[in-house]
Amino acid sequence: NSLSTSLFYKFFLCLLPSQMVAANLATAMTPYIRPISDGVQSFQSDPTEFPVSAPIPKLKARLQASGEVIYAGDIPEPPNTLHGAFVRSTNALASLGQIDM
């Protein structure tokens, strides 16, 4: 809610002529340029505890990072695929009267 309100506020300010906007509000009209994020993780492992504390790369990490992994959402649905959904009832032990298809 707060994010949508602030984005609408910024949009509304951009619609106004710049001379109508107070100087302390003008910064809301300038686009925020964010640099590309990066990160490094480092930790020490104790060789006396190997193999428990040994760093082991995840087997599919390179495939996931390169975008080569095929997820279930990437696979096209075959024709005549049926979808199911859980339906909650307000009546206990109610029976299903009709199904719309």
Side-chain angles (χ1 to χ4, degrees):
N1 189 12
S2 174
L3 177 62
S4 60
T5 304
S6 63
L7 289 174
F8 177 74
Y9 183 71
K10 288 178 75 126
F11 168 74
F12 183 73
L13 283 177
C14 290
L15 294 178
L16 296 173
S18 57
Q19 62 269 19
M20 288 184 64
V21 179
N24 62 336
L25 301 177
T27 57
M29 296 170 42
T30 57
Y32 176 68
I33 307 298
R34 182 177 180 198
I36 296 175
S37 300
D38 65 340
V40 175
Q41 180 181 15
S42 61
F43 59 91
Q44 300 295 324
S45 58
D46 185 1
T48 62
E49 297 177 351
F50 281 2
V52 174
S53 67
I56 301 172
K58 185 176 168 185
L59 295 176
K60 295 206 178 217
R62 291 190 187 270
L63 291 173
Q64 289 173 336
S66 66
E68 295 179 45
V69 174
I70 298 173
Y71 295 98
D74 300 332
I75 301 170
E77 296 175 358
N80 301 321
T81 300
L82 295 176
H83 297 273
F86 288 105
V87 179
R88 293 175 40 177
S89 175
T90 55
N91 301 326
L93 302 173
S95 52
L96 191 60
Q98 175 179 336
I99 298 176
D100 296 333
M101 295 181 85

